[in-house]
Amino acid sequence: MARPRQITDEQIVAAAQEVFLEQGFAATTAAIARRAGVSEGTLFNRFPTKEDLFSAAIGLTDYGQWRAALLSAVGQGEVRRNLERATLSMLREAEALVPRLSVVFSRGHDPSHNPMLARLDDPMRADAQAITGYLQGEVALGRVRPLDAEVTALTVVGALTHFIHQEQVMPPPGRTPVDAGRFVRGLLDVLWPGLAP
């Protein structure tokens, strides 16, 4: 009979987060195992590679859950409300992920020296693809006027990316932060007249 697990995957991920934030990607799996109080064998039984553990620790495995919810909302509810919910969810997920991504980029921006960049792929492209798919579905149903869904999605993602950069990465000193809800509502106030059927 197998022994029950003494430590959860979440506890291992929490230990890995601490070590990676302290030491960057160069942190060893031995250091992570020590912090978690497990053997390296246990670590690799749960997470086959250091990159898998790193992805879980910085939240790459959790990012983008809003995409499926948005795509499943085609033809459901109000289009503007669906877009508001999706973009707010994207901002909330990014708020947790962006600070951790600094650890990924600490190894540089050259994919040949930084294998995590390949795993990261391009989340903004995937975000734009989800919004494009949603808008195309709504255009087909006549709930959004005929438009270039890809360009519209890139506009939304570009605005959100700038907001993330401005409010999280490089917030201006002495300025009151802009509330994410206010930003999303204002963005859709501008875009909605061009989307409404």
Side-chain angles (χ1 to χ4, degrees), residues 11 17 19 26 51 61 65 75 92 107 141 144 193:
Q11 290 169 311
Q17 283 174 342
V19 175
E51 287 78 10
T61 53
Q65 295 181 4
R92 285 189 196 105
R107 296 195 68 204
L141 293 173
V144 169

Side-chain angles (χ1 to χ4, degrees), residues 10 15 23 34 42 49 74 96 100 102 129 141-142 154 188 190:
E10 291 77 18
Q23 302 174 23
R34 271 193 307 278
T42 298
T49 67
V74 171
R100 296 178 188 160
S102 62
Q129 288 171 341
L141 293 173
L154 289 171
L188 286 168
V190 171

Side-chain angles (χ1 to χ4, degrees), residues 19 28 32 34-35 71 75 110 114 128 146 162 179-181 186-187 190 193:
V19 175
T28 65
I32 295 166
R34 271 193 307 278
R35 180 76 55 97
L71 290 169
D110 181 354
N114 190 348
H162 180 75
D179 175 72
L187 175 64
V190 171

Side-chain angles (χ1 to χ4, degrees), residues 34-70:
R34 271 193 307 278
R35 180 76 55 97
V38 298
S39 70
E40 276 189 278
T42 298
L43 203 67
F44 286 118
N45 280 336
R46 309 276 185 93
F47 300 91
T49 67
K50 179 179 171 180
E51 287 78 10
D52 290 328
L53 181 56
F54 186 75
S55 291
I58 67 166
L60 285 180
T61 53
D62 297 329
Y63 181 78
Q65 295 181 4
W66 63 269
R67 295 175 192 142
L70 179 62

